[in-house]
Structures are given as structure tokens and as C-alpha cells.
Amino acid sequence: MLRIYQNTYRRTARKAVVYSTKVACCNHSTLCGITSHPRRSQDNGSSSSNGRHRRHEEFLLAGNSARGWQMPPPSRGYGMLVVRILRGALKLRYLVLGGAIGGGVTLKSKYEDWKDGLPDFKWLEDAMPQGERWSQFSRNLIEVGSLVKNAIDVDPKLKQLGEDKLSEWRNWFDSRLDDAIEAADYQGVQIVETKDDLKAKTTVAALGITSDESRKKYEKLQSQVETLQTEIMNVQIKYQKELEKMEKENRELRQQYLLLKTNKKTTAKKIKKSLIDMYSEVLDELSGYDTGYTMADHLPRVVVVGDQSSGKTSVLESIAKARIFPRGSGEMMTRAPVKVTLAEGPYHVAQFRDSDREYDLTKESDLQDLRRDVEFRMKASVRGGKTVSNEVIAMTVKGPGLQRMVLVDLPGIISTMTVDMASDTKDSIHQMTKHYMSNPNAIILCIQDGSVDAERSNVTDLVMQCDPLGRRTIFVLTKVDLAEELADPDRIRKILSGKLFPMKALGYYAVVTGRGRKDDSIDAIRQYEEDFFKNSKLFHRRGVIMPHQVTSRNLSLAVSDRFWKMVRETIEQQADAFKATRFNLETEWKNNFPRLRESGRDELFDKAKGEILDEVVTLSQISAKKWDDALNTKLWEKLSNYVFETIYLPAAQSDSFNTMVDIKLRQWAEQALPAKSVEAGWEALQQEFISLMERSKKAQDHDGIFDQLKAAVVDEAIRRHSWEDKAIDMLRVIQLNTLEDRFVHDKQEWDSAVKFLETSVSAKLVQTEETLAQMFGPGQMRRLTHWQYLTQDQQKRRSVKNELDKILKNDTKHLPTLTHDELTTVRKNLQRDNVDVDTDYIRQTWFPVYRKHFLQQALQRAKDCRKAYYLYTQQGAECEISCSDVVLFWRIQQVIKITGNALRQQVINREARRLDKEIKAVLDEFSDDEEKKGYLLTGKRVLLAEELIKVRQIQEKLEEFINSLNQEK
């Protein structure tokens, strides 16, 4: 740049010197001896002129140097030099300013693209309560707190605040309680003896309300609390799903980042799994396996069954050496099957199958989180008003000294249902228990409560039905510390020797599952169990209990030993069965679909997702002309009826057509027109997208298996999609400004308006003639050729029509309504022909007859106005030929064009992108909903491929497990 400016400065200086020399020569022509000839210089060519100027400059320079004469100061030349330099500087300023503006626009565009690419967090607004819901939630909590604050027990954690603070709180609480009791005595409220009733009734008396009011208010608050708990649970479920989804995406992005960073093809190291982990994975695969063949899941696992509150969960926790399950006082806590895989490891941890989080079972905080998550998963699995669920919750527990096995904890068997249970709860639990116990290789761990009478047990009958010989049943008597105080020692001896119950078992065991304290640790419970059996009367009496039949440790060893023995005996047989099933499925696939690959439901869904998103991209590539045609057609389809019925026909009946049209058009533009326009744009967008999807079906490589899924995704996305609200206000301003123009600008627009009027009136005329054909019946020729006849009503209508035609023939400019005299005349004329009708019947016939007459006249006026444009421009409203109809339809045509153009810009710039986001959101939801995918992607091809893929995975995992098992041997 500096060199360019230097060269420019040199050229400008040289030109200034030459110019000043010429000026000096002109002022001193007598000294130079040269005269100027302007006319002659104009005639000569440019080349000769340039040569003459150069010779002239040389002459001046030579003469001046010879004479020693100095040239006058070139002030004018220096002025021109300054002007040129300033002009160059100004050009540089404009270049810099333009570059800055262009860079700002580009930066803004990049920012908008980046902002559109951010993930959508709108689901948080739906998940978290806002506005009035949050205020109601707060008020309900305050009301509940105010009601129960006098019945709150003192939290032991307050001791941390100091003994003085705690004593002060207790004194205040006692004084408040004494005041409430005195108030209750004063009000005449009967005080009951229990502590809870005392607090409730004294609180009621202190508040000055009756017991009935208190009960109603308490029930109301209780229902509100339950409603809030349900809402909070739903929010937690949705939050948990989103959290798991984000964790999955985070892991995928992390893997991609590492691959890009290293820029090398790395292969993940295969981690050697333990036998029990491999076996657990096989069971997980089988949990979702559903086959049409006779093959069933007969792999061994330990099934824990028992009556409700018999101690099933406590036995399992004792085997796992951790309190991992939520506990309740008498209520049903186990609502779904829980598969626990126990494995030996250096650290005592637990982990869900579908989660990466590990819970440290040596920390109380992690144990609380684990119990809360188990409870949450159980409640989330129960849907549709049910009490229990068949959905398996799988988890793994590892720790030092744990026996390797797979246990399944089932809901406890109940004999009586409560009011808050579903009507089929009892039968559902029985069916679920029988299903797991019917597996011929399942080990049944039958839990019996030793603190209750054995005759009240429900589980023993079920176990005896599924395993009458007792070849795979292990009987466990729990709570023997309570049984020692209540039961006869001889009775317990009979139970543990298998002589009290008719059922048979491989072994009988007695355990102690705790002292009834929720806060006791497993170590404390096991120590209590060992101390009990050391000091127990039953244990010291000779011949009552054998040492190997007591403690949870001996039970765990026995169950594990039996489990692995069953696995080694049956695993080869199960693997051969799955191998045969795989062969049969592969043969069936080759016979039915020889040229197709086995694609599972997930793979097919991903392929359909790609095709749908490709169609969305195609939607943004539609030409502007096609969008204009589609939008204009849809707009007139939505607006034509209103234009004719509310604007054109009423205005034609009035004396001041143009005034009535202006009033009607302004009311229309301010109220209904913008909303109708947006509705038309939305329908046009929907129609174009559906037409693209239909067009893709005609392609040669079209796969019809995706049609149902695509239709469901499109319908759901269109149902969710709504036009932006601000578009209505924008359209209202544009339409009002457009309708204010009442003058047709050129002949081309006039011809287009005339054609639009003729087309619209002709279409309405066809509809009116169809209505008349239905009203008056077929014509004479059609009756003869098609053997049709007129009904009695049609004959009456024809008679009335003949009379009405006479009225219109006599008065072609008749008003839209009939006068009383005309109605009377028509009735009398019809009575002479023995046709008796009332005035309403005549009016019903008159309406379509007059409309046809009016439309025919309007069509004739349109034809007369074809060549009346120049007459209209000269005379205006006082034109001899009335062309107000043409002007009206020109204004309508203009507003349709302007509206269509605005809607097209909104579709291309905004709405198509928003529809794309809606479709992606629907696809993401469908991808997480296995039930919906199974419903939308179905058929023999899908079902057979799914089953083949599943069996292949199970068979491969079984072979891998068998190889590892043989190596361990």
C-alpha cells in the first residue's frame, strides 16, 4: 500500500509541474513565441497533441535554463495535488468503514448459526413447576406445616446445637402442649389416651374448629400432599430420563473427542470379565427375549419367594452384606423383580445395569442414594394404575467374600388386598411368582416367617405346586429369635427337619435378619445373629438344630454351591437349544428374505430417521414460485367463501357498493384475515411436506416398512408445530396497507383482476348449479337416458322455480329478497296448479335461484370490463360501465399476493427450520420409547430379524461363558 501511494504521489507531482509549465507558457507567449490555437488542437489527433506538448515542454525548459529565467510559483498545481491526496484518503476511509460493517454483519450471522445449534432446554420449563403451580405448591406445604407442627417429634440431630438450646426447645414445646390441652378442656373436646390423638385433638381445639371440620381439612390436605408427591415423582422420572440421555451423549462426545485428538485408529482393550458377570449378561439378554418357538429361558438363577414382610429382602441383604433395599413398616416395598448379581471383588460396590455410577456400600450416604434409586426405579416401572410390574431391575453387587450367584427378589405374596392396590395385584403376584419358579433349573429360596403361625403361610403351597419333590428348593426360617419366645421348640424342630410342612426341600436353614431396627448395619445384624445362636436354648438343646443349618453365612455357601452345580449341569443343554433355534431362524430368513440383511428395529429406525431428515432438507429447497403458487391457492381456498358471502354479495345488494366494500374489507383485515392467513400458511406447509413424503414412496428404492413410522412422526411433528404469534400482527399491518390502495395501476393488473373475477365467479356458479341439480332433480334428457324419476319434492321445487324465473325475467335487477306481494302472487299461481307450499319453502327455493342469476350477471359484467381499463382510468368511479367488481377482486388479489409473499419468507426463513426441530424432537422421543417403536416398526420381517439377532447374541454369550467355565475347571 505504501508503494502504491508513493507512485501515485510521484505521478500527481509530475502532472502538476507540467500543468504549471503550460500556464506559464500561456501567460508569457511573447517570450516563448508560441500562440495557442484551440480550434486547430481540437481537430488534431491525440497522438500529435501529446507529441506537441512534449516538444513544447522541452522547449520551455531549454529556454528557461538558457536565459536564467524563473517560472512563476505553481500554486494552482500544488492545490490540485492536495485535493487529489485528500480524495485518496477519503476513499481509504470508506474502504475501512465498509470492511468493518461487512465484518459485523458476518459476525452476527455466525452468532445466529451458533445459537441455533445449541441444544434445546425447553423441557426444563415443562419439567419444573412454574408460575401459579409453584405458588400453589408453596401454599400447600405451608398449610401442611401449620397443621402438623405441634405433632412433630424433636429431631435428635438438634443435639448438635448444644444441650442448652435443646432444653429451651423442649420447655417451649411442653408449654405449648399444656396450653393446647387447657384450650381443649375449655372447648369440651374429649381427649383420648394415645399420644397422637392427644396432639391432633388439642391442636383442633386450640384452633377453634370442630372435629368434623378438622377431619375434612386434614383429608383435603392429605389428598393435596399425595397429588404433589405424584407430580414430584413424574418430574423426577422425566429428569432422570433426560439425565441418562445427557450422560450417554456426553460419553459419546468424549469418545469422539479422544479419537479426533489422537487422530489414530485405536481399538478398545477387551476387559476380561468374571464368570458371574458373563452369566449375568446372558440373563439380561434373556430378560427381553420373546420367541415364537417352544424355546424358553431355562437358565439357572436363585428365586427368592415368600409372604409379604417375611424377611425376603433382609435375607438377600444379609447374603449381599449390605442394606441395599428400601424398607417400609408393613407396606409393600418390592413392586418389581430385582435381579442381583453377586460377585467377589476388592471393593464393596453396587451398580445398576443401565448406569455407570458405582455406589460405595461402605459409605452411608451412598447406601441412602442406592436405596432411594431402587425405590424410584420400582415406582417408575409401575404404570397404568398397576401395583406391581414385570419389568426387571438389574444390579450388580461386588465385594470381598461374596459368594458368586444370581438372585431374583420377587414381590411378597399377599392374601388380602388394601384399598390402594389395583384389583389384579394378588393375581399378578401369584402369576409372576409361578413364572419364575416354573423354570425347571431355578433354585427356589423359600422364605418362611418364624414369628407367625406356619398355617398362615401362603408361599409353601405355591412352592409345592412348582417343585413337589423338593429337588431345587431351599427352605429358610427367618426371625427365629422371635420364634424362640413364641413357639414350641419341638415345632421349630419339625419345621427345620421338614416334618411339619408337606413340602420337601434340599435343605432347611434358620437365620436371624435383625433386631427390628432400621439403622442397624449388616455387621451389627450378623454379630447379633452369631451371639443369638451361641446362647440360644434351641442351639444348646441336643438334637434340635444342626450347626450347619444356622446363620446367613452357611445359607449363602449352600445356595452358591447349589447354584453353580445347577449351572454346570444345564448350561451345555441350554446352549445346544439356542444353537438349534438360531439355525431354524436363519433358515426361515433365507427362505423369506434372501436378498435382505437382518436389520433390527433400532437399525431400521435409524435408517428411517435419516430419510425423514433428508425430506426436511428437501423442503427448504422448494422454489419460491412453487411456494407462491401453493400459498396463493391455499389462501384463496380459505378466504373465498368469506369474500363472497360476507363482502361481495352484501355489498352488491347495497346502494353504495364501494363504501360497503371499504368497511367490510377493513373489518376483515383487522379481525379474521391475519389469523386465516396464518392458518392457510400452516396448511400449505403441511401439505407440501406430506406431498414430499408421498413422492418419496414412488422411488425405486423405497422401503414400505418405514411408511407407518414416517406418517406417525410427521403427524406428531405437525400437531406440535404452531406458527409464531408475532406473524399475525405483522400480517395485519401489511394487509391493511395493501387494502387501502383502490386504484388499478396498469392494464396488465386490470386483465389479471378480470381473469381472477371470472374464474372465481365461474367456480361459484358451478357450485350453485350443483346445488340446484340436487334440489330440482335430473333434467329431461338424463331422466330418459338413465331411467331416473323426479321425487314429489323435486316436482314442487320445479314448479316454484318456474314462477321465480318469471319474476327475474321481468326484473333483471331484482333485489336479493322477495317482497310480501311477490310471495303471495307465487303462492296463488302455484295453488292454481294444485301446488300448495308455504312462504319459507318459496324463500328456500329463491336463494339458489337468485344466486345463479346474480353470478351470471357478475360474469357478464366481468366480460364487459375486459376492455374498459382506459375508460376506467379517465372517468374513475363515474365510468359508464360499472367495474367496481373488478376493482374489489383486484384489491383481494393484491392482498393475497402480498400475504403469500410474506408467508413464503416466513416459511423459508423460520417455519421450515422450526418444523425441522420439532421432527428431530419427535424422533428422539420415539427412539427412547421401545413400545412405540415396536408398534410402528412391525411385520414378519422385523419380528424375525429381531428374534434372530437376539438369539444370535444369547448363543454367542453362552458359548463365551462355557469356554470360560471349562477353563476354570
Side-chain angles (χ1 to χ4, degrees):
M1 289 295 295
L2 180 61
R3 181 170 297 177
I4 293 174
Y5 284 130
Q6 290 175 354
N7 295 335
T8 304
Y9 176 79
R10 291 169 183 171
R11 288 196 297 269
T12 305
R14 187 164 53 249
K15 290 180 181 180
V17 170
V18 173
Y19 182 82
S20 62
T21 304
K22 292 180 181 179
V23 173
C25 181
C26 292
N27 292 333
H28 305 276
S29 57
T30 56
L31 296 174
C32 299
I34 299 174
T35 58
S36 176
H37 301 280
R39 183 176 301 175
R40 184 177 177 182
S41 64
Q42 290 177 359
D43 297 335
N44 294 336
S46 60
S47 61
S48 62
S49 176
N50 294 334
R52 188 162 52 251
H53 282 306
R54 283 196 297 270
R55 289 193 299 271
H56 179 64
E57 293 171 4
E58 293 173 358
F59 173 78
L60 288 174
L61 293 172
N64 293 337
S65 61
R67 296 181 180 90
W69 174 75
Q70 296 295 328
M71 193 176 296
S75 60
R76 184 173 180 182
Y78 290 136
M80 293 299 295
L81 176 62
V82 172
V83 169
R84 290 177 181 270
I85 293 174
L86 289 176
R87 185 172 63 180
L90 290 175
K91 286 183 179 180
L92 181 62
R93 182 188 65 178
Y94 290 140
L95 289 174
V96 173
L97 182 59
I101 294 174
V105 173
T106 304
L107 183 60
K108 181 179 180 182
S109 175
K110 291 294 183 180
Y111 171 71
E112 292 294 335
D113 294 340
W114 175 80
K115 186 171 66 175
D116 292 337
L118 289 176
D120 189 4
F121 290 99
K122 189 176 181 182
W123 60 269
L124 285 174
E125 300 177 3
D126 299 331
M128 299 302 295
Q130 296 181 357
E132 184 62 28
R133 289 179 59 193
W134 184 258
S135 301
Q136 183 67 27
F137 176 74
S138 301
R139 289 196 295 269
N140 292 337
L141 290 180
I142 292 173
E143 292 179 1
V144 173
S146 62
L147 180 65
V148 301
K149 65 182 181 180
N150 289 329
I152 297 176
D153 295 332
V154 177
D155 190 355
K157 293 183 179 180
L158 289 176
K159 293 181 179 179
Q160 300 176 0
L161 300 177
E163 295 296 335
D164 297 335
K165 192 69 177 178
L166 183 59
S167 61
E168 181 182 351
W169 168 261
R170 285 176 175 172
N171 294 333
W172 176 85
F173 179 78
D174 294 337
S175 63
R176 295 289 293 176
L177 183 60
D178 294 338
D179 295 339
I181 294 173
E182 293 177 1
D185 293 335
Y186 180 74
Q187 294 290 337
V189 180
Q190 184 179 0
I191 307 299
V192 295
E193 293 300 331
T194 62
K195 181 179 179 181
D196 295 336
D197 292 341
L198 176 62
K199 293 179 180 178
K201 289 188 174 290
T202 51
T203 303
V204 169
L207 293 173
I209 56 178
T210 62
S211 59
D212 293 337
E213 293 176 354
S214 172
R215 184 167 56 257
K216 291 179 180 179
K217 187 173 182 180
Y218 178 74
E219 292 175 354
K220 179 180 178 181
L221 291 174
Q222 189 176 12
S223 64
Q224 291 177 353
V225 170
E226 293 175 355
T227 303
L228 290 173
Q229 288 176 347
T230 304
E231 293 180 358
I232 293 173
M233 180 62 66
N234 294 333
V235 171
Q236 289 178 343
I237 292 172
K238 188 169 184 178
Y239 173 75
Q240 185 70 20
K241 289 182 178 179
E242 293 293 338
L243 188 61
E244 292 175 356
K245 180 179 177 182
M246 294 178 69
E247 287 178 353
K248 182 179 178 181
E249 293 178 354
N250 187 25
R251 290 195 302 270
E252 294 176 354
L253 291 174
R254 177 65 178 172
Q255 292 175 359
Q256 295 177 6
Y257 169 75
L258 292 176
L259 289 175
L260 291 174
K261 185 177 179 180
T262 56
N263 198 16
K264 296 179 181 179
K265 294 183 178 180
T266 57
T267 57
K269 295 182 179 180
K270 188 175 180 181
I271 301 175
K272 186 177 181 180
K273 300 177 182 178
S274 64
L275 277 177
I276 193 63
D277 290 333
M278 297 168 63
Y279 187 76
S280 179
E281 288 182 359
V282 174
L283 294 181
D284 291 337
E285 293 289 343
L286 284 171
S287 63
Y289 175 59
D290 185 15
T291 177
Y293 291 86
T294 56
M295 183 63 209
D297 176 17
H298 289 165
L299 291 176
R301 74 261 285 162
V302 180
V303 181
V304 184
V305 297
D307 296 334
Q308 183 177 341
S309 301
S310 61
K312 297 185 299 76
T313 303
S314 299
V315 171
L316 201 154
E317 288 180 337
S318 180
I319 295 175
K321 298 182 180 180
R323 308 200 71 167
I324 57 178
F325 293 108
R327 320 190 76 79
S329 55
E331 62 176 321
M332 179 183 293
M333 297 303 297
T334 306
R335 298 177 178 268
V338 181
K339 182 177 76 70
V340 181
T341 302
L342 299 180
E344 189 173 9
Y347 305 105
H348 203 184
V349 295
Q351 183 179 4
F352 289 104
R353 182 185 66 179
D354 55 353
S355 176
D356 292 335
R357 178 182 177 182
E358 282 191 348
Y359 301 85
D360 188 352
L361 302 184
T362 60
K363 297 180 180 179
E364 185 60 31
S365 59
D366 280 21
L367 280 171
Q368 292 178 359
D369 293 343
L370 178 60
R371 289 192 289 265
R372 185 178 62 250
D373 290 345
V374 170
E375 183 179 5
F376 171 76
R377 288 172 179 265
M378 285 186 181
K379 291 182 178 179
S381 66
V382 178
R383 291 183 288 269
K386 300 292 185 179
T387 305
V388 294
S389 170
N390 291 321
E391 185 175 338
V392 179
I393 300 173
M395 62 187 302
T396 301
V397 178
K398 297 181 179 180
L402 291 183
Q403 300 300 318
R404 301 178 300 172
M405 68 184 89
V406 177
L407 303 100
V408 181
D409 186 20
L410 299 177
I413 298 171
I414 59 175
S415 57
T416 305
M417 294 188 301
T418 58
V419 294
D420 59 342
M421 293 182 179
S423 58
D424 61 342
T425 302
K426 182 178 178 181
D427 296 334
S428 298
I429 295 175
H430 276 249
Q431 292 175 3
M432 186 191 306
T433 306
K434 286 183 178 180
H435 169 72
Y436 277 90
M437 290 193 303
S438 61
N439 178 2
N441 298 323
I443 301 171
I444 303 173
L445 198 62
C446 180
I447 308 299
Q448 171 67 39
D449 188 353
S451 63
V452 299
D453 295 334
E455 291 78 8
R456 294 168 55 185
S457 174
N458 298 308
V459 68
T460 53
D461 294 336
L462 284 176
V463 173
M464 190 168 55
Q465 293 174 11
C466 297
D467 185 24
L469 299 179
R471 292 178 177 175
R472 50 191 181 88
T473 301
I474 297 177
F475 183 86
V476 181
L477 185 66
T478 62
K479 305 178 184 179
V480 292
D481 53 339
L482 300 177
E484 184 182 32
E485 301 176 359
L486 302 175
D488 183 11
D490 293 334
R491 187 175 179 85
I492 296 177
R493 178 184 59 80
K494 290 181 180 180
I495 293 175
L496 296 178
S497 60
K499 296 180 180 180
L500 183 63
F501 294 112
M503 62 167 287
K504 298 180 181 179
L506 289 170
Y508 298 85
Y509 291 86
V511 297
V512 175
T513 55
R515 292 174 290 183
R517 301 176 184 175
K518 294 182 179 180
D519 298 333
D520 282 351
S521 64
I522 290 295
D523 294 336
I525 294 174
R526 286 204 162 195
Q527 186 62 42
Y528 172 74
E529 182 185 39
E530 293 178 2
D531 294 342
F532 169 76
F533 283 116
K534 288 180 181 178
N535 303 320
S536 172
K537 303 175 184 177
L538 297 175
F539 186 77
H540 286 292
R541 282 191 180 184
R542 184 177 300 175
V544 177
I545 297 178
M546 299 297 293
H548 68 272
Q549 289 183 264
V550 297
T551 70
S552 302
R553 182 178 180 277
N554 291 333
L555 173 64
S556 176
L557 292 172
V559 173
S560 176
D561 181 67
R562 185 59 192 169
F563 169 76
W564 284 105
K565 183 177 181 181
M566 186 75 74
V567 168
R568 288 186 173 89
E569 290 176 354
T570 60
I571 192 66
E572 294 284 353
Q573 179 183 357
Q574 296 297 309
D576 293 339
F578 273 98
K579 188 181 297 184
T581 303
R582 174 180 176 177
F583 176 78
N584 294 334
L585 291 172
E586 289 177 345
T587 303
E588 185 177 357
W589 180 268
K590 292 178 181 179
N591 293 334
N592 290 276
F593 311 101
R595 298 183 179 180
L596 295 177
R597 187 171 57 86
E598 308 97 341
S599 299
R601 190 171 279 114
D602 293 336
E603 184 178 352
L604 292 174
F605 183 86
D606 292 338
K607 186 177 179 181
K609 179 179 180 180
E611 292 185 4
I612 294 173
L613 295 178
D614 290 342
E615 296 298 336
V616 177
V617 174
T618 307
L619 183 67
S620 62
Q621 297 175 354
I622 296 177
S623 63
K625 185 179 183 304
K626 189 173 182 180
W627 272 123
D628 289 337
D629 294 341
L631 289 168
N632 292 343
T633 302
K634 183 61 67 174
L635 279 169
W636 180 240
E637 179 184 332
K638 301 288 289 186
L639 305 177
S640 59
N641 190 57
Y642 186 91
V643 169
F644 273 95
E645 302 297 335
T646 310
I647 299 177
Y648 185 35
L649 293 177
Q653 299 171 12
S654 63
D655 296 333
S656 55
F657 180 86
N658 292 329
T659 304
M660 180 66 72
V661 164
D662 290 341
I663 296 173
K664 293 285 186 181
L665 286 178
R666 185 164 189 83
Q667 291 177 350
W668 186 39
E670 290 178 348
Q671 298 174 2
L673 179 58
K676 280 289 183 182
S677 301
V678 168
E679 184 179 346
W682 183 86
E683 291 182 2
L685 176 61
Q686 174 184 354
Q687 184 175 347
E688 286 298 320
F689 186 60
I690 292 176
S691 65
L692 284 177
M693 301 296 292
E694 293 294 331
R695 203 175 305 142
S696 64
K697 294 181 180 180
K698 300 178 182 179
Q700 294 181 355
D701 57 346
H702 171 68
D703 195 345
I705 201 170
F706 302 137
D707 292 344
Q708 189 174 357
L709 173 62
K710 290 181 178 180
V713 171
V714 172
D715 292 343
E716 181 66 20
I718 290 176
R719 185 186 65 81
R720 296 182 184 182
H721 181 264
S722 60
W723 214 274
E724 283 187 325
D725 296 334
K726 61 182 180 180
I728 294 179
D729 297 331
M730 184 189 68
L731 288 176
R732 182 180 292 110
V733 175
I734 296 174
Q735 291 165 349
L736 284 171
N737 293 334
T738 304
L739 291 173
E740 289 296 327
D741 192 0
R742 303 176 181 83
F743 188 78
V744 184
H745 303 292
D746 53 32
K747 181 69 166 55
Q748 185 178 0
E749 291 185 357
W750 180 271
D751 294 339
S752 177
V754 171
K755 184 178 180 181
F756 179 52
L757 173 60
E758 290 178 346
T759 304
S760 304
V761 171
S762 299
K764 279 292 178 183
L765 187 59
V766 171
Q767 295 179 5
T768 306
E769 289 177 347
E770 292 176 355
T771 304
L772 290 173
Q774 294 178 1
M775 183 178 291
F776 301 131
Q780 184 176 1
M781 182 61 69
R782 187 173 182 83
R783 293 201 302 272
L784 291 174
T785 56
H786 292 77
W787 295 86
Q788 295 180 351
Y789 301 93
L790 297 176
T791 63
Q792 184 177 1
D793 181 71
Q794 290 174 347
Q795 292 176 359
K796 286 184 179 181
R797 297 282 185 187
R798 283 178 173 270
S799 301
V800 175
K801 178 181 178 298
N802 294 332
E803 296 296 328
L804 297 176
D805 288 341
K806 295 176 184 179
I807 297 175
L808 293 175
K809 187 175 181 181
N810 294 331
D811 185 8
T812 57
K813 296 184 179 181
H814 195 282
L815 294 175
T817 57
L818 292 172
T819 63
H820 179 71
D821 294 338
E822 289 173 338
L823 289 171
T824 304
T825 302
V826 171
R827 285 190 63 187
K828 289 181 178 180
N829 293 339
L830 291 174
Q831 287 175 357
R832 285 198 300 267
D833 296 336
N834 297 325
V835 179
D836 187 13
V837 294
D838 56 8
T839 56
D840 291 337
Y841 193 86
I842 297 172
R843 289 193 183 95
Q844 292 175 0
T845 310
W846 164 258
F847 178 75
V849 171
Y850 175 77
R851 169 165 287 198
K852 179 181 179 181
H853 172 74
F854 172 80
L855 293 174
Q856 288 175 343
Q857 286 186 331
L859 195 60
Q860 184 60 43
R861 286 196 301 272
K863 294 178 181 179
D864 296 339
C865 292
R866 285 180 180 175
K867 299 181 180 180
Y869 172 71
Y870 296 105
L871 190 63
Y872 160 76
T873 56
Q874 294 175 3
Q875 299 180 3
E878 299 180 0
C879 181
E880 296 178 358
I881 303 175
S882 178
C883 295
S884 300
D885 310 41
V886 179
V887 178
L888 168 62
F889 276 81
W890 175 79
R891 297 169 71 180
I892 301 258
Q893 189 180 38
Q894 293 303 308
V895 79
I896 288 176
K897 288 181 180 179
I898 296 298
T899 303
N901 185 37
L903 291 174
R904 173 177 58 81
Q905 293 178 2
Q906 292 178 10
V907 167
I908 295 176
N909 298 332
R910 188 66 182 167
E911 297 304 324
R913 200 182 311 167
R914 294 179 65 239
L915 180 62
D916 182 24
K917 290 183 179 180
E918 293 289 350
I919 290 175
K920 289 180 180 178
V922 173
L923 287 171
D924 291 340
E925 291 184 10
F926 282 11
S927 64
D928 296 334
D929 193 340
E930 296 295 333
E931 183 178 354
K932 190 174 289 274
K933 283 198 297 186
Y935 171 74
L936 296 175
L937 289 173
T938 185
K940 183 178 180 180
R941 170 184 162 188
V942 180
L943 297 177
L944 187 59
E946 279 285 306
E947 191 168 9
L948 178 56
I949 293 172
K950 200 75 172 178
V951 170
R952 188 177 292 155
Q953 292 175 352
I954 294 172
Q955 195 248 337
E956 290 174 355
K957 288 184 178 296
L958 275 174
E959 289 182 352
E960 183 183 2
F961 172 74
I962 291 172
N963 292 333
S964 300
L965 186 64
N966 292 333
Q967 291 177 5
E968 188 179 75
K969 289 181 181 179

